[in-house]
Amino acid sequence: MKKDLEEIQKIIGKLELNSKTQIKDLLNYFLQTHLNRNKVDNFIGDYPTFIEPVHLEDNVRIGDDVLLGPNVYIGKDSEIKDYVEISNSIIFDNVFIGKNNKLGNCIIGKNTSLVCENINVNNCVIVGNIKSKEDLYKIIYKFE
Amino acid sequence: MSDNNKREVNRIKELESINLSREEIRDFVIETKKEVEKDNDLLAKQLNDELKKRGIRSIDIVGAIGAGKTALLEKIAERLSKKYRILVICGDITTRVDADRIEKHDVKTIQINTGRECALNAYHIYQVLKNQDLDNYDLIFIENVGNLICPSDFKLGTDMRMTVVSITEGEWVVEKHPMLFKMSDVAVINKIDLLERLGTNIDKMENDAKNFNPHIKVIKTSAKTNENVDLLIKTLEL
């Protein structure tokens, strides 16, 4: 798992126009290969809904009414705010996802801060510090 | 809408009671609740159409904690896992205890932990099914969260709903839950191996179910002794 995450991290660090198929394949491969059962016994927060499989690393903080899964990996020290929904996605370490955002088939890079709220995105890579929807549309990398 | 109003709506949504809404937002709350119910029903219909199109049979199972839903599913899986390719979706507030028990009988299981939600809804099932290769299955069971109240609000898109009660819950359990029996196709009264000792009025339970829903089929079973498990499978047309 760690090796595949490192490879994905490396590729999303220097995205090119022709990386789309590679990213999509790596995401699918990771989710199908490394996720099977839930590993959700270590989060901080109340009672989110988990659709198997969901894998949480240590010190993940989760808000109210959050729906995670199926096929979600969340790296350590990340924070998911209220009403967020995430499926088929990899969230790397130390990521912040603001309220009521909906992510499907996404890769969110290490230390990314998605401060803006009420966004609904699919099939994309997001890396950086995003304070508004305008910021998001400037940096979002759609792979489908 | 102001932040205060948003907070109020969220609070009411959590409490699931329109009566608590302030007068100025009452209409909005009612409309929102109606829309959510409508969306759930629409999604459930789409799911059922898709499953039917693929020739996949689907049954959801509702009942209180400890009624015997999982025990019956184990018995059914044990008998049918060679005949059908079975997927069982298990709903629970937390843990994977039920899915682990059922999985031992050679069927694929997927656990949904609902956290604070007291029932599965059509969106949960949609999320599971859209991520599965449905060509791998002929039969899908959905075991709802152990609860006799909330599941009656949410259709899940199955062909058939089976409600399980047990004689240990007392003879009034059916009479006290009309909605669930109105929308069920099969009512199972389980743990009949304990009938002599408990003396529960099982005829009253059966009559109550039929009074609420004249079309409901009532089967009295014991998952422990296997009594009428084969009859139940026949009643489910499997």
Side-chain angles (χ1 to χ4, degrees):
Chain A
M1 180 187 269
K2 206 176 162 192
K3 202 177 140 209
D4 285 335
L5 283 171
E6 278 167 7
E7 194 185 343
I8 295 170
Q9 181 78 49
K10 210 166 100 186
I11 289 165
I12 65 172
K14 44 172 187 177
L15 285 167
E16 291 168 14
L17 273 176
N18 59 4
S19 307
K20 290 182 180 181
T21 314
Q22 190 186 13
I23 285 285
K24 194 178 153 187
D25 290 349
L26 280 171
L27 174 62
N28 288 338
Y29 176 79
F30 179 88
L31 298 177
Q32 281 164 22
T33 312
H34 295 297
L35 304 184
N36 180 23
R37 300 285 183 93
N38 275 350
K39 185 189 167 295
V40 293
D41 50 359
N42 48 353
F43 68 92
I44 299 162
D46 281 339
Y47 302 97
T49 298
F50 297 114
I51 301 178
E52 198 173 60
V54 176
H55 183 113
L56 305 180
E57 295 293 355
D58 288 340
N59 197 31
V60 173
R61 280 154 290 161
I62 303 178
D64 280 345
D65 271 343
V66 169
L67 172 56
L68 300 178
N71 307 316
V72 171
Y73 170 90
I74 302 183
K76 64 177 180 174
D77 303 323
S78 289
E79 181 167 9
I80 313 293
K81 300 300 279 185
D82 301 350
Y83 316 115
V84 166
E85 185 182 323
I86 305 173
S87 59
N88 299 303
S89 296
I90 297 173
I91 315 293
F92 276 93
D93 297 350
N94 197 33
V95 165
F96 177 92
I97 309 282
K99 270 188 190 176
N100 196 26
N101 289 321
K102 190 171 169 182
L103 311 174
N105 285 70
C106 292
I107 301 174
I108 312 295
K110 199 172 174 179
N111 301 326
T112 291
S113 184
L114 201 59
V115 180
C116 58
E117 299 179 358
N118 314 318
I119 59 157
N120 183 350
V121 285
N122 289 289
N123 309 311
C124 63
V125 177
I126 301 171
V127 186
N129 186 4
I130 293 109
K131 289 185 177 152
S132 65
K133 283 185 186 175
E134 290 71 30
D135 284 354
L136 176 69
Y137 295 126
K138 273 181 216 160
I139 64 109
I140 193 168
Y141 179 89
K142 296 281 277 182
F143 55 78
E144 198 171 293
Chain B
M1 200 192 321
S2 72
D3 283 345
N4 275 346
N5 282 358
K6 275 185 196 165
R7 271 198 295 276
E8 186 75 356
V9 170
N10 283 332
R11 185 176 67 84
I12 293 157
K13 197 181 118 200
E14 284 189 7
L15 293 168
E16 291 179 352
S17 176
I18 284 164
N19 304 332
L20 286 162
S21 59
R22 282 181 284 109
E23 203 51 49
E24 58 268 36
I25 60 165
R26 193 178 165 86
D27 289 348
F28 177 77
V29 173
I30 292 168
E31 279 312 306
T32 306
K33 195 175 157 85
K34 276 189 198 162
E35 287 296 316
V36 169
E37 283 168 1
K38 201 168 79 186
D39 288 351
N40 184 81
D41 288 356
L42 191 66
L43 190 55
K45 169 85 174 56
Q46 284 168 2
L47 288 172
N48 191 246
D49 289 347
E50 180 66 24
L51 293 175
K52 276 204 171 107
K53 199 172 79 188
R54 291 168 176 270
I56 301 171
R57 296 282 317 279
S58 55
I59 297 166
D60 76 273
I61 302 175
V62 179
I65 295 167
K69 300 182 296 298
T70 311
L72 283 166
L73 256 175
E74 281 185 276
K75 298 291 180 177
I76 292 170
E78 198 179 279
R79 285 161 173 76
L80 296 182
S81 63
K82 286 194 172 59
K83 186 175 176 188
Y84 299 105
R85 295 166 304 162
I86 302 173
L87 170 67
V88 182
I89 300 169
C90 294
D92 276 293
I93 298 291
T94 183
T95 77
R96 201 184 193 281
V97 175
D98 292 355
D100 287 342
R101 278 171 61 186
I102 296 164
E103 206 167 62
K104 285 179 187 154
H105 302 283
D106 291 330
V107 299
K108 163 88 175 165
T109 58
I110 292 175
Q111 181 69 52
I112 302 176
N113 288 134
T114 56
R116 261 201 303 219
E117 292 182 46
C118 51
L120 295 174
N121 61 47
Y123 188 70
H124 294 138
I125 306 305
Y126 165 75
Q127 283 289 8
V128 170
L129 296 185
K130 85 168 183 185
N131 284 288
Q132 288 295 312
D133 184 352
L134 293 177
D135 289 339
N136 291 335
Y137 306 108
D138 315 300
L139 176 59
I140 295 176
F141 286 102
I142 302 169
E143 183 185 346
N144 217 316
V145 178
N147 181 343
L148 284 168
I149 304 161
C150 313
S152 58
D153 284 339
F154 300 102
K155 291 177 186 169
L156 300 179
T158 52
D159 298 328
M160 206 182 254
R161 172 167 277 186
M162 167 174 132
T163 296
V164 181
V165 291
S166 64
I167 62 166
T168 54
E169 292 163 64
E171 58 226 26
W172 297 277
V173 67
V174 178
E175 190 182 0
K176 286 180 178 180
H177 298 92
M179 278 305 290
L180 207 49
F181 290 90
K182 278 180 186 169
M183 62 192 293
S184 295
D185 304 284
V186 176
V188 176
I189 303 173
N190 195 31
K191 303 191 188 178
I192 56 168
D193 51 297
L194 297 172
L195 191 56
E196 201 173 318
R197 185 166 282 249
L198 293 176
T200 312
N201 186 348
I202 200 166
D203 294 335
K204 173 179 164 44
M205 294 169 88
E206 181 170 1
N207 289 337
D208 286 343
K210 286 184 171 163
N211 283 339
F212 291 137
N213 179 356
H215 304 293
I216 203 164
K217 292 169 185 160
V218 181
I219 313 290
K220 298 159 193 167
T221 61
S222 166
K224 192 173 180 181
T225 65
N226 291 313
E227 192 173 349
N228 289 338
V229 172
D230 290 327
L231 176 65
L232 173 62
I233 290 172
K234 204 173 151 193
T235 307
L236 296 172
E237 296 165 24
L238 296 172

